[in-house]
Amino acid sequence: MVELDVRGLSCPEPVLNLKPLLDRGESEIKVLCSCGASSDNIRRLAKNSGYNVLSETQNDEDLEFILKKS
């Protein structure tokens, strides 16, 4: 599993950092994010790129997504 830590970055940087991993076709990606505004964009980009959001958890201000290639 590849881990992408984009905590501390604001929109649209988390999505811009995620896109190359999706384009490469990584099988599973863990995304750590602190920008709540990016969460909808992360889910949308994952879905449009053929990924499922296996889990989404929140720890204090941080969000963790587990994405899996469909």
Side-chain angles (χ1 to χ4, degrees):
M1 177 183 304
V2 174
E3 184 173 305
L4 177 65
D5 188 346
V6 290
R7 290 176 289 190
L9 300 179
S10 57
C11 270
E13 291 178 274
V15 171
L16 294 175
N17 283 282
L18 175 59
K19 185 155 178 26
L21 297 177
L22 299 173
D23 290 345
R24 265 198 331 241
E26 296 289 345
S27 59
E28 284 191 354
I29 304 168
K30 178 194 281 188
V31 182
L32 301 170
C33 178
S34 59
C35 178
S38 294
S39 61
D40 288 338
N41 294 332
I42 288 171
R43 283 192 293 281
R44 188 177 313 111
L45 178 61
K47 182 180 177 187
N48 291 339
S49 299
Y51 283 77
N52 294 316
V53 178
L54 294 183
S55 70
E56 180 179 337
T57 55
Q58 184 164 1
N59 300 317
D60 296 321
E61 296 179 8
D62 295 339
L63 296 167
E64 177 184 294
F65 295 90
I66 303 294
L67 311 177
K68 184 169 177 76
K69 183 100 170 125
S70 305

